[in-house]
Amino acid sequence: MPRILLIDDDEHLGAPLASYFARFDFVLDSASRPSEGLARLRAQPYDAAILDVMLPEMDGFALCREIRKESDIPIVMLTARGDVMDRVVGLELGADDYLPKPFEPRELVARVQTILRRQRAVPAAPPAQRREFEGLSIDLDRREVLRHGERVDLTGTEFELLALLADQPGKVWSRDDILNRLRGHEAELYTRAVDIVVSRLRKKLEPLDCIKTLRNAGYALAVGKSTT
């Protein structure tokens, strides 16, 4: 059963959510403080984490940043105001999705199911499950990316975006196409999210400059295929 960690200082939230998640074959553990949550993440493997933005010790954004230093675990952020800026900041820091409070438990389950499905799915591709380019290697089976032979740690969303672009190098993917392919229809979407994920991916792939922006059109992978 997938194990999820909820980090939220509302001590009345964990127990009922755990019971609800159990109906969908999830184990939900709870931590009320960031320090406790980090200790749990380091002590045992989790399949995803749910972070509240408003937390003691450090806010959810700082906590997300700390988790991303050590792990690419899928992260859903809970934003009390549903503020667009909260969503943007969370995604920039490496969160995979967000959900404004108050929320319906079924929607939170759906968000978690979506990111786990995306994390585990092998992108549709021709028989060869490795993409080789100049300075860039993408192993779809192992979900591993090498830049000049050095491993690049990507979140699930970043990897899926790169795999999508690499499937048809040179093809221009519009933001709507990318949203539909990566997010499905279960999550609330907005175009700015694509730009944020692309920005994060570009930074991680530096000094390679292989993701091109075509104004008013979208994004494309522009890198030569390896001849080796």
Side-chain angles (χ1 to χ4, degrees), residues 68 72-76 91 94-98 111 114-120 123 143 153-165 178-179 181-183 189 193-198 200-201 204 211:
R68 279 290 170 256
D72 63 354
I73 183 176
I75 294 174
V76 177
L91 289 167
D96 295 271
D97 206 348
Y98 62 88
R111 299 297 181 95
T114 297
I115 62 175
L116 290 183
R117 188 163 54 243
R118 191 167 66 237
Q119 183 86 354
R120 294 167 180 166
R143 300 180 68 83
D153 291 324
L154 302 180
T155 66
T157 303
E158 291 163 357
F159 180 86
E160 294 296 341
L161 173 60
L162 181 58
L164 178 65
L165 298 178
I178 293 172
L179 285 171
R181 289 290 294 269
L182 298 191
R183 293 294 210 191
L189 307 176
V194 174
D195 300 329
I196 293 168
V197 177
V198 169
R200 283 178 6 211
L201 183 57
K204 290 185 178 182
I211 300 178

Side-chain angles (χ1 to χ4, degrees), residues 101-203:
K101 282 186 170 182
F103 57 85
E104 291 294 331
R106 183 66 186 92
E107 184 175 6
L108 180 56
V109 169
R111 299 297 181 95
V112 172
Q113 289 173 325
T114 297
I115 62 175
L116 290 183
R117 188 163 54 243
R118 191 167 66 237
Q119 183 86 354
R120 294 167 180 166
V122 176
Q129 293 301 301
R130 179 181 288 273
R131 300 286 184 272
E132 297 287 352
F133 304 96
E134 294 178 2
L136 182 66
S137 176
I138 306 168
D139 190 321
L140 301 179
D141 288 327
R142 299 173 62 185
R143 300 180 68 83
E144 181 180 73
V145 175
L146 301 178
R147 179 200 56 226
H148 296 306
E150 178 183 357
R151 181 186 173 92
V152 181
D153 291 324
L154 302 180
T155 66
T157 303
E158 291 163 357
F159 180 86
E160 294 296 341
L161 173 60
L162 181 58
L164 178 65
L165 298 178
D167 189 44
Q168 298 183 60
K171 175 180 176 178
V172 179
W173 294 85
S174 71
R175 291 172 176 81
D176 287 341
D177 287 340
I178 293 172
L179 285 171
N180 290 335
R181 289 290 294 269
L182 298 191
R183 293 294 210 191
H185 301 284
E186 296 181 59
E188 180 185 351
L189 307 176
Y190 62 102
T191 303
R192 174 66 173 143
V194 174
D195 300 329
I196 293 168
V197 177
V198 169
S199 177
R200 283 178 6 211
L201 183 57
R202 277 180 171 149
K203 185 172 183 179

Side-chain angles (χ1 to χ4, degrees), residues 3-19:
R3 184 174 291 271
I4 314 300
L5 180 63
L6 169 70
I7 305 178
D8 193 311
D9 63 341
D10 184 351
E11 297 183 356
H12 300 290
L13 183 63
L17 267 186
S19 297

Side-chain angles (χ1 to χ4, degrees), residues 69-82:
K69 291 178 181 177
E70 305 176 16
S71 172
D72 63 354
I73 183 176
I75 294 174
V76 177
M77 307 227 26
L78 303 177
T79 63
R81 299 183 299 278

